[in-house]
Amino acid sequence: MARKRTRNSSRKKRRAKKGAGRRWLWRLAALLLVAAVAGVTILDIIVRNRFAGAKWELPAHVYSRSLELYEGRELALADLRWELEQLGYRQVDRVRGPGQYRLTGPQLVLHTRPFRFWDGDEPARRLRLAFGNGKLRTMDVAGNRMSLVRLEPLAIGGIYPDHAEDRVLVRLEQLPPYLVDGLIAVEDRDFYDHRGVSPRAIARAFLANLKAGATVQGGSTITQQLVKNFYLTRERSLVRKGLEAVMALLLELHYSKGEILEAYINEVYLGQSGNRAIHGFGQASRHYFRQPIGELEPHQVALLVALVKGASYYDPWRHPERSRGRRNLVLEIFRDQGLIDENVAREAKSRPLGVAERPGSSANPYPDYLDLVRRQLARDYREQDIRTAGLRIFTHFDPQVQRRVEQSIASVLTSLESGYRLEPNSLQAASLVVRTGTADVLALAGGRKAGYAGFNRALEARRQVGSTIKPAVYLAALARESDFTLTTPIDDSPLSVATENGETWSPRNFERESHGWVPLYEALAQSYNQATARLGMELGLDSVAATIRGLGYDGPLNPVPSMLLGSTAMAPFEVAEMYHTIAAEGFHSPLRAIRSVYDADNNPLKRYGFETEQRFDPATMHLLQYGLQAATREGTGTGVYRYLPDDVAAAGKTGTSNGQRDSWFAGFVDDYVGVVWVGRDDNGRMPLTGGTGALQVWADAMAGLDVASLPFVKPEEVEYHWVEPYRQRLSGEGCQGARFIPYIRGTAPERKGPCHRPPGREIIDWFKDVFGL
């Protein structure tokens, strides 16, 4: 009996243990179920929040001005073809669609692309253009004359997120008809049949890999690939693979196949451009072919689809044969799936890869100008928004002007180094070109090497400006119209000035000669230091400083005597703003790079309108412009006319700092104000002056732009007289020593004299001849 009780007791204990074990397992299962549900719920929230919100941090894309075509425009056929090449247009034997052109002698058939501008949509058009003598002679569409057509602007750079991804979003309807179906056929032929994970694809890949003895095929669906790239890291583990499968199922639960496919097409990694990752077919098309994706032909589409398997491994520039083989395999799949027929497949396989000679999406081909854009954007937008909100930024940048400036810097500096036997690449330069009147910055070069993102000398390099400051001294004088005219005698004899620190400042002329009493315009044109210093001291340093400020300079300014001869250090950008005020007849306008900003959906955010303020009397500025024209006709700037025709009126001023460490030229012609600085980065001495260095770059660039005379309009308060400048008396046309000189009404000399002039001086009436005054 006792033994029986013992056995019963043992059974009860075992049953109790088993019951406790079951209860523990149930509890564990319940906990695991709760954890799984919680985990799936969290994953579901992650999937929906990311996919429904802003899916990507979109870079800001920056655009140039658009090239306007109209009959009579000064435009060489070669320049138009260059710009078409930059835009990715292709020369063909027969024009079939947008992005193509055909050339026949001086005539060009061009099919433009559609583009959404800041002020409306420009449709695609098929144009017939005829050129002659450097002009667009006729332009018609289907036999009808067109008054104006705009080409799409050039993408000149981008401002990228911290992780340096670049993409251009596309919609499914924008894609070539066989790209979507071809991508599905190659990457996930069961896409429309599975719910995110395809057991059939996994089994098919397993058998293929087993048969090959290596991994030759993957079983991931397009949805899984999207999850892997969109949500997860590149870690390879069973846990990550499980997360990928669950998230793919959740993604398919909430979103349509079209939404998933469109996201994949915009997310997939397709290459690298420097430190930037190329994501999505939209950006990849521009990167490899320099064309919008809608223009691609079958062999090009197949190459992009081929790159999905491994963009680095099949890189068409580094591994062309490997890339060609993969592309042809994709074309065979296209054919087998009935997307293209046998003839199309055969023709496409025979074609070269068709990639551009250089990437069409180089990060920032014009980094110096982009620096200025970023500066001006920073006043109105947070850095995070600039980098990630997909802004579309339209600027005033003119690729043709930039091209000419870059060519002039490269060729002239090389020539100077050779001619003066300087070490190659020892000279540096910076330059800006600004549209007169509107203050639009058309071109900006921050250094000698085009496209190099380094130290931007045009914005950052502050160097002594030398004699380029002198117009401010003479403007301060001419503003006192009762005391000074262009012919007021100025003493160019040696002088010494006691400074506040007890030292003596004794400026000398560059050629170490004195010229006695000279007319004011001549002191400016010949850049006499002694005359300028004496005039500035008479006017007062504060008066000259106020004039410099009025012209637009707001940087550091120390009102000491040496300021009068350019001891102040300025950046070329600051000098350009001052000279624009002179060229704009006394109206100051802040220099601007940006025209307008739009968001990713093309909604306008901000217009950067024209701002101006009259700071000087146009009549006074008219007189100063005369003096600056005299500087280029007979003064330190005469080298300009080694490049420009004699009938082009140009105005400008050279500048050379102490020790010839800086060479400057600032000047203007019809529509352009240009500033050039040449020097050494180590601030070393050079054998160059403003006239033998920077002027050469400026004049070469302007000659290449085929400029015309500046629009020199006489204000109502100004009247012209024939005058003997050295004798301060009225003369007559054709008299010896007579000049045709402007005066503010009531300030001309009253004394009349016989035709007389100092020996050795010739009649100078270029001013009257050029302007017909």
Side-chain angles (χ1 to χ4, degrees):
M1 184 65 74
R3 190 178 299 165
K4 185 175 182 181
R5 281 198 299 271
T6 302
R7 285 199 298 271
N8 289 338
S9 177
S10 297
R11 288 193 195 101
K12 288 178 181 179
K13 288 179 179 178
R14 285 197 297 272
R15 282 198 295 272
K17 281 185 178 180
K18 187 176 288 186
R22 289 195 189 100
R23 285 193 298 275
W24 184 83
L25 288 173
W26 279 110
R27 290 192 188 101
L28 179 62
L31 286 172
L32 290 175
L33 180 60
V34 169
V37 171
V40 171
T41 301
I42 292 171
L43 289 177
D44 189 60
I45 293 172
I46 293 172
V47 166
R48 285 185 293 153
N49 284 351
R50 174 85 191 275
F51 201 87
K55 298 182 180 65
W56 297 282
E57 291 184 343
L58 299 176
H61 287 115
V62 184
Y63 298 93
S64 73
R65 62 92 181 101
S66 59
L67 181 62
E68 296 183 340
L69 302 177
Y70 51 86
E71 292 184 355
R73 171 167 186 151
E74 297 278 352
L75 179 66
L77 177 56
D79 289 338
L80 174 60
R81 290 187 64 192
W82 177 85
E83 187 142 346
L84 292 175
E85 179 186 338
Q86 304 311 300
L87 291 168
Y89 279 69
R90 290 163 294 145
Q91 184 175 356
V92 295
D93 295 330
R94 180 183 175 190
V95 176
R96 294 184 174 89
Q100 300 178 352
Y101 72 92
R102 177 172 59 85
L103 182 66
T104 307
Q107 294 190 337
L108 186 140
V109 176
L110 170 66
H111 201 143
T112 65
R113 296 180 179 128
F115 191 83
R116 173 165 285 184
F117 284 95
W118 55 89
D119 57 355
D121 292 346
E122 184 83 15
R125 289 189 172 95
R126 185 184 174 97
L127 305 175
R128 187 175 299 276
L129 311 173
F131 291 82
N133 296 324
K135 288 186 177 181
L136 175 55
R137 293 295 184 187
T138 61
M139 177 174 69
D140 65 70
V141 176
N144 299 315
R145 291 290 179 88
M146 291 292 296
S147 58
L148 177 68
V149 173
R150 291 182 294 183
L151 296 182
E152 72 272 24
L154 180 67
I156 64 171
I159 303 171
Y160 303 100
D162 291 333
H163 46 74
E165 291 183 359
D166 196 6
R167 74 188 82 230
V168 171
L169 297 186
V170 295
R171 304 295 184 192
L172 291 180
E173 58 269 20
Q174 295 175 284
L175 302 173
Y178 37 78
L179 189 149
V180 175
D181 292 337
L183 178 65
I184 291 172
V186 173
E187 291 297 319
D188 184 4
R189 65 184 64 173
D190 302 323
F191 178 70
Y192 289 108
D193 299 324
H194 62 67
R195 291 295 178 184
V197 178
S198 174
R200 182 165 33 176
I202 294 172
R204 186 167 56 240
F206 175 78
L207 291 175
N209 296 338
L210 187 66
K211 182 177 180 180
T215 302
V216 296
Q217 193 175 119
S220 294
T221 64
I222 280 178
T223 313
Q224 286 176 277
Q225 292 180 47
L226 176 60
V227 166
K228 178 174 62 178
N229 293 323
F230 203 56
Y231 297 98
L232 303 175
T233 67
R234 295 186 177 274
E235 173 199 0
R236 293 193 173 191
S237 68
L238 289 176
V239 172
R240 195 204 63 80
K241 198 69 178 173
L243 287 174
E244 177 187 299
V246 173
M247 294 175 83
L249 293 169
L250 292 171
L251 198 61
E252 295 259 359
L253 178 66
H254 294 294
Y255 300 101
S256 69
K257 291 287 186 179
E259 290 174 304
I260 292 170
L261 191 59
E262 189 172 89
Y264 178 79
I265 283 171
N266 285 301
E267 170 62 22
V268 62
Y269 172 75
L270 290 172
Q272 198 75 23
S273 179
N275 66 339
R276 278 183 317 120
I278 303 300
H279 283 264
F281 282 83
Q283 186 64 20
S285 178
R286 296 181 181 276
H287 177 66
Y288 291 106
F289 305 113
R290 306 181 69 213
Q291 296 174 245
I293 195 164
E295 295 179 7
L296 299 189
E297 298 180 44
H299 69 289
Q300 296 170 308
V301 171
L303 177 58
L304 294 186
V305 172
L307 291 172
V308 173
K309 186 173 179 63
S312 178
Y313 187 79
Y314 293 108
D315 185 311
W317 285 300
R318 292 189 297 163
H319 309 294
E321 291 304 316
R322 187 186 295 170
S323 179
R324 184 187 181 96
R326 174 68 182 170
R327 181 205 67 177
N328 289 349
L329 176 61
V330 169
L331 284 168
E332 291 173 4
I333 296 174
F334 284 10
R335 178 201 60 200
D336 295 343
Q337 295 296 313
L339 304 177
I340 57 177
D341 61 30
E342 178 63 39
N343 291 334
V344 172
R346 185 185 308 109
E347 195 273 338
K349 288 170 69 174
S350 69
R351 299 279 294 272
L353 291 174
V355 294
E357 292 183 8
R358 56 182 175 81
S361 64
S362 56
N364 289 316
Y366 303 103
D368 296 331
Y369 195 91
L370 201 67
D371 282 348
L372 177 59
V373 171
R374 293 184 68 148
R375 263 192 189 193
Q376 298 189 350
L377 283 174
R379 302 171 190 168
D380 302 301
Y381 298 93
R382 297 181 308 145
E383 180 69 17
Q384 182 69 9
D385 293 334
I386 295 173
R387 288 177 174 272
T388 64
L391 301 180
R392 300 174 75 225
I393 302 159
F394 296 93
T395 73
H396 299 284
F397 179 83
D398 189 321
Q400 300 281 1
V401 178
Q402 181 75 22
R403 173 193 182 200
R404 187 63 220 178
V405 169
E406 291 177 350
Q407 290 174 343
S408 295
I409 288 174
S411 63
V412 173
L413 292 195
T414 299
S415 177
L416 290 174
E417 287 167 347
S418 174
Y420 285 94
R421 297 184 179 179
L422 303 176
E423 182 181 349
N425 298 312
S426 60
L427 296 178
Q428 265 296 351
S431 180
L432 292 91
V433 177
V434 178
R435 177 82 66 190
T436 306
T438 62
D440 304 333
V441 180
L442 306 179
L444 187 151
R448 179 173 183 165
K449 187 175 181 182
Y452 177 71
F455 180 53
N456 192 334
R457 296 163 187 82
L459 301 179
E460 304 293 344
R462 291 180 170 272
R463 304 292 286 257
Q464 287 190 356
V465 295
S467 295
T468 52
I469 204 68
K470 288 179 180 176
V473 179
Y474 291 89
L475 176 58
L478 292 170
R480 301 183 185 181
E481 60 186 66
S482 60
D483 298 322
F484 295 95
T485 69
L486 286 170
T487 54
T488 298
I490 305 296
D491 185 7
D492 184 52
S493 60
L495 78 159
S496 296
V497 178
T499 62
E500 290 183 356
N501 59 11
E503 296 180 354
T504 300
W505 182 61
S506 301
R508 295 290 182 266
N509 290 331
F510 181 79
E511 71 281 8
R512 300 295 176 181
E513 293 181 3
S514 298
H515 305 88
W517 291 89
V518 296
L520 183 145
Y521 76 84
E522 183 176 316
L524 172 58
Q526 300 296 341
S527 200
Y528 294 151
N529 289 336
Q530 296 170 167
T532 304
R534 180 172 275 105
L535 175 62
M537 294 304 297
E538 180 181 345
L539 296 168
L541 296 175
D542 289 342
S543 175
V544 175
T547 302
I548 294 172
R549 295 290 189 203
L551 287 170
Y553 175 68
D554 60 4
L557 187 61
N558 187 15
V560 296
S562 60
M563 172 192 73
L564 302 170
L565 302 184
S567 63
T568 302
M570 298 184 187
F573 182 88
E574 295 167 325
V575 176
E577 187 157 319
M578 293 174 59
Y579 271 78
H580 178 266
T581 304
I582 297 173
E585 299 178 344
F587 288 84
H588 172 261
S589 302
L591 302 190
R592 57 182 187 156
I594 304 171
R595 179 192 297 270
S596 54
V597 178
Y598 285 72
D599 66 15
D601 297 319
N602 211 48
N603 297 312
L605 297 179
K606 182 174 176 61
R607 292 289 182 93
Y608 289 76
F610 174 58
E611 301 175 17
T612 190
E613 176 189 0
Q614 184 175 348
R615 296 187 176 178
F616 300 95
D617 185 348
T620 303
M621 200 61 75
H622 188 85
L623 271 56
L624 180 65
Q625 288 187 3
Y626 176 95
L628 293 175
Q629 287 184 74
T632 59
R633 286 289 180 179
E634 58 199 83
T636 58
T638 53
V640 161
Y641 289 99
R642 290 175 47 209
Y643 299 84
L644 298 182
D646 285 341
D647 61 352
V648 170
K653 186 72 189 72
T654 56
T656 310
S657 67
N658 282 336
Q660 294 183 226
R661 301 177 191 278
D662 302 282
S663 168
W664 291 87
F665 187 81
F668 44 99
V669 284
D670 54 359
D671 290 336
Y672 303 124
V673 178
V675 171
V676 177
W677 167 85
V678 173
R680 295 169 56 105
D681 280 341
D682 62 4
N683 202 32
R685 296 174 64 94
M686 305 178 298
L688 302 175
T689 64
T692 58
L695 178 147
Q696 312 297 320
V697 177
W698 185 93
D700 186 74
M702 293 300 162
L705 295 173
D706 196 25
V707 296
S709 294
L710 61 92
F712 203 65
V713 179
K714 184 178 77 65
E716 186 178 346
E717 300 84 1
V718 172
E719 54 189 19
Y720 279 80
H721 297 275
W722 286 97
V723 175
E724 294 179 51
Y726 271 77
R727 294 192 177 270
Q728 281 285 290
R729 60 190 186 186
L730 297 176
S731 185
E733 183 174 1
C735 294
Q736 277 192 323
R739 292 182 69 110
F740 200 54
I741 296 180
Y743 292 86
I744 295 176
R745 185 175 289 114
T747 65
E750 296 180 356
R751 191 163 58 98
K752 299 178 181 179
C755 289
H756 177 77
R757 69 177 182 85
R761 294 192 174 273
E762 299 176 356
I763 299 171
I764 300 173
D765 57 0
W766 50 261
F767 189 80
K768 182 175 183 296
D769 290 342
V770 168
F771 293 105
L773 295 170

